[in-house]
Amino acid sequence: MFVKNPEYFLTIAKERSISKAAEQLYLSQPYLSQYLAKLEHTLGVALMDRSHTPLTLTTAGEVFYAYLERQSYLDRQLFSDLRDIQDRNRPVLHIGVSPWRGAMLLPDILPLFTPQFPDVQVVLHEAAVPELTKLAEDSVIDFCIMHIPSDLTELSYELIMREHVFLIGHKSHPLLRGLDSPYDRPLQFTQLRQLERERIIMLPSDWRLAKLLHNTFSVLNIDPQNILVTTNNTTAINLAAENMGFAFLQESGISRTPYLDRLACFTIGDPPLTCPTAVVYKKNGFLSPAARAFIDLTKEFYRRFNRDGNF
């Protein structure tokens, strides 16, 4: 459907006021009011609830707003793709990941993706998990691979899987000595209280995995006394491999460490504690065929960690 001057309606919705929108658009208020009335007449529905101040979108208005946002994004994507073709530029796929996940994913997925899309240039945006949400909201990246964000106002997601959370520690530690619990056959660790005075290497407390663990500690009335906070899972693995503490990590973040022979890995709880991993992207955004192919390859990659069918 062709909508004339869609930015007029989008501005009214964002400003929640016809007069403020008119100022933003350098239009007169009567003209913008007439525009809205004609638009509603054409569509046959009320788009704004005028009984509220500031204005609010009706249910039909919310649907129409989402449509216009998606149309605007598709228009920009179309012109960008056509410009790339004209200029013979390579199409670009922007992917957001945390540094450790990028180091783990790309060596497995790129060799499968590149033969299918040899002309696509992959740009990796490696950032801390909280920053990835902002990159997706601002359409800087096509999608990111991360935990499900708490605020989904502007984002959509596809669940990849619920990964087991592993407790890892050096095999020679007194609490683990004699326990045969390798990465591919982990035992359940049932003595979490014994870790209260051990050094525990944790991600920041506002990150999804840390929140899950702090909630687990609270339920079990466990109060760790020695927490070392890092934003890098690789740091956590390396410290655990040097017998400098215990770490809690999602299992896929451990698979490529060269120190697996030094580490014992354990699940936590029954059923085992898990943390959801998802593909996150802008709501109503456009996923190119290359983006969709990369996402599908990522889902297939994570299937190898699916020990119990827990998607």
Side-chain angles (χ1 to χ4, degrees):
M1 173 183 178
F2 175 75
V3 179
K4 185 178 181 181
N5 301 122
E7 70 276 11
Y8 289 3
F9 178 78
L10 291 173
T11 304
I12 295 172
K14 290 176 181 177
E15 294 295 331
R16 302 181 68 184
S17 165
I18 294 177
S19 59
K20 290 182 179 179
E23 291 179 8
Q24 290 282 337
L25 296 167
Y26 300 101
L27 300 171
S28 69
Q29 181 175 342
Y31 178 85
L32 199 56
S33 296
Q34 290 177 12
Y35 161 85
L36 180 59
K38 289 180 180 178
L39 181 61
E40 291 178 321
H41 177 75
T42 300
L43 296 174
V45 292
L47 300 174
M48 306 297 299
D49 185 347
R50 294 166 176 78
S51 66
H52 291 80
T53 303
L55 297 176
T56 59
L57 290 170
T58 63
T59 301
E62 291 176 352
V63 171
F64 187 61
Y65 181 86
Y67 166 81
L68 290 183
E69 275 208 320
R70 179 172 174 81
Q71 181 186 52
S72 175
Y73 181 88
L74 289 173
D75 286 345
R76 294 195 303 272
Q77 187 69 41
L78 173 62
F79 286 121
S80 176
D81 290 345
L82 292 177
R83 185 169 58 251
D84 287 344
I85 293 172
Q86 185 177 14
D87 298 338
R88 291 189 172 88
N89 292 334
R90 296 175 65 189
V92 180
L93 180 61
H94 294 271
I95 303 172
V97 288
S98 60
W100 72 267
R101 201 182 292 276
M104 182 270 298
L105 272 176
L106 287 188
D108 286 286
I109 296 180
L110 270 185
L112 302 175
F113 175 81
T114 301
Q116 296 182 36
F117 296 88
D119 294 331
V120 174
Q121 178 184 353
V122 175
V123 177
L124 200 63
H125 297 255
E126 295 183 292
V129 171
E131 297 174 31
L132 294 177
T133 302
K134 179 65 174 171
L135 292 175
E137 289 175 344
D138 293 343
S139 298
V140 174
I141 55 180
D142 293 281
F143 62 86
C144 56
I145 302 167
M146 59 179 289
H147 304 153
I148 300 172
S150 55
D151 184 358
L152 291 169
T153 304
E154 299 185 35
L155 300 173
S156 295
Y157 73 90
E158 298 176 25
L159 182 66
I160 295 177
M161 72 170 295
R162 296 185 180 275
E163 291 188 77
H164 287 154
V165 176
F166 278 5
L167 166 70
I168 63 172
H170 199 282
K171 291 179 179 179
S172 67
H173 191 282
L175 292 179
L176 307 183
R177 196 174 295 144
L179 296 178
D180 182 22
S181 189
Y183 172 78
D184 56 347
R185 298 188 312 278
L187 301 175
Q188 179 188 354
F189 194 82
T190 59
Q191 304 297 324
L192 284 177
R193 189 172 300 282
Q194 295 184 22
L195 302 181
E196 279 192 317
R197 298 191 179 281
E198 299 290 338
R199 180 185 292 112
I200 298 179
I201 305 153
M202 296 272 287
L203 297 173
S205 60
D206 60 337
W207 291 23
R208 180 67 174 268
L209 179 55
K211 288 181 179 179
L212 285 174
L213 290 168
H214 283 298
N215 182 66
T216 299
F217 294 153
S218 177
V219 169
L220 298 176
N221 198 26
I222 295 173
D223 184 19
Q225 302 296 306
N226 186 0
I227 294 179
L228 188 158
V229 178
T230 178
T231 59
N232 192 322
N233 281 346
T234 302
T235 300
I237 294 171
N238 292 347
L239 287 172
E242 294 299 327
N243 207 3
M244 293 299 295
F246 292 86
F248 292 90
L249 298 170
Q250 288 169 264
E251 59 179 308
S252 66
I254 308 169
S255 61
R256 279 191 167 270
T257 179
Y259 306 122
L260 279 179
D261 59 331
R262 304 183 193 178
L263 299 170
C265 303
F266 301 85
T267 59
I268 310 159
D270 185 18
L273 182 66
T274 61
C275 188
T277 299
V279 174
V280 180
Y281 43 81
K282 178 81 170 181
K283 189 174 290 185
N284 301 314
F286 171 73
L287 290 176
S288 67
R292 173 47 61 189
F294 197 100
I295 291 171
D296 291 342
L297 288 171
T298 300
K299 289 181 177 180
E300 184 61 32
F301 168 77
Y302 272 97
R303 288 186 189 279
R304 66 167 157 168
F305 300 107
N306 186 31
R307 302 171 189 269
D308 51 13
N310 188 16
F311 277 87

